[in-house]
Amino acid sequence: MIKDTTAEYQQVIAQCRDIFDKKMKDYGAAWRIMRTESLTDQIYIKANRIRSIQRKKEHLVNEGVEPEFIGIINYSAMAIIQLRLGVVDQPDLNSEKASKLHEQVLNDAFELMSKKNHDYDEAWRSMRVSSMTDLILMKLLRVKEIEDNNGKTIISEGLDANYFDMINYAVFCMIQINESKQQ
């Protein structure tokens, strides 16, 4: 079976956009008051739950790991928006503007994925979802360290690069989960 990474990626992103847009209608842009450190912690909670479920092979809350991966994607996009716009004291985006910003970040993530995917020859397809979960957690630890250093790095990529990588690893996990359901 020939796999179409672009189509699979866009399918996952469409699902994430739909959830983001619906939550914007429910809650507005309340997330705009969150510091990136708080968004990092939200992503950590989601990634840690995924790893916990993977280890225990069961979950007691009636949700699997898919909503958590979607949360990682959306919270990472929100963190990138916060890095670009800065944190505010009161929500300042309407649903339409927030959705456009969210879409732009996910488009940027897709462009980055396309370039890396070319260079790495889709190596992620041979990886386990659990390994990619560990990579997301490692990226989170890196982000926390960078945040604790006031965003300064000596040689390493910055915060945005790590958030983009988390988006892409989470999308890859969703693609693999979707493929395993189809088999």
Side-chain angles (χ1 to χ4, degrees), residues 147-158:
E147 289 170 345
D148 290 346
N149 291 328
N150 297 316
K152 295 183 176 112
T153 59
I154 297 169
I155 194 171
S156 306
E157 296 176 313

Side-chain angles (χ1 to χ4, degrees), residues 36-166:
T36 54
E37 295 90 346
S38 299
L39 290 162
T40 299
D41 287 344
Q42 289 298 309
I43 300 164
Y44 178 81
I45 289 167
K46 296 195 169 301
N48 195 61
R49 179 172 184 265
I50 293 166
R51 185 171 162 147
S52 173
I53 290 169
Q54 289 169 340
R55 283 181 169 163
K56 295 173 185 171
K57 308 279 189 231
E58 69 174 338
H59 51 91
L60 300 181
V61 176
N62 194 21
E63 288 182 345
V65 297
E66 292 95 331
E68 305 300 352
F69 281 119
I70 291 168
I72 289 170
I73 294 163
N74 284 338
Y75 276 121
S76 295
M78 290 186 283
I80 293 167
I81 293 168
Q82 294 296 71
L83 290 173
R84 290 177 176 177
L85 299 183
V87 176
V88 295
D89 292 328
Q90 292 293 319
D92 62 345
L93 298 176
N94 63 32
S95 293
E96 184 179 323
K97 178 68 175 168
S99 290
K100 284 183 182 180
L101 291 167
H102 181 261
E103 181 178 4
Q104 182 58 56
V105 167
L106 295 181
N107 287 341
D108 293 346
F110 174 76
E111 287 179 29
L112 176 65
M113 179 282 300
S114 296
K115 292 174 184 173
K116 286 187 174 186
N117 212 28
H118 172 271
D119 290 355
Y120 288 96
D121 261 347
E122 296 203 328
W124 63 271
R125 289 201 181 267
S126 299
M127 295 175 67
R128 296 174 185 94
V129 171
S130 60
S131 295
M132 288 188 278
T133 302
D134 289 349
L135 285 169
I136 292 168
L137 283 162
M138 179 193 66
K139 294 278 181 185
L140 284 161
L141 294 175
R142 288 179 177 180
V143 166
K144 285 182 174 197
E145 192 67 30
I146 294 168
E147 289 170 345
D148 290 346
N149 291 328
N150 297 316
K152 295 183 176 112
T153 59
I154 297 169
I155 194 171
S156 306
E157 296 176 313
L159 293 170
D160 60 341
N162 285 285
Y163 287 123
F164 277 119
D165 285 346
M166 287 186 267

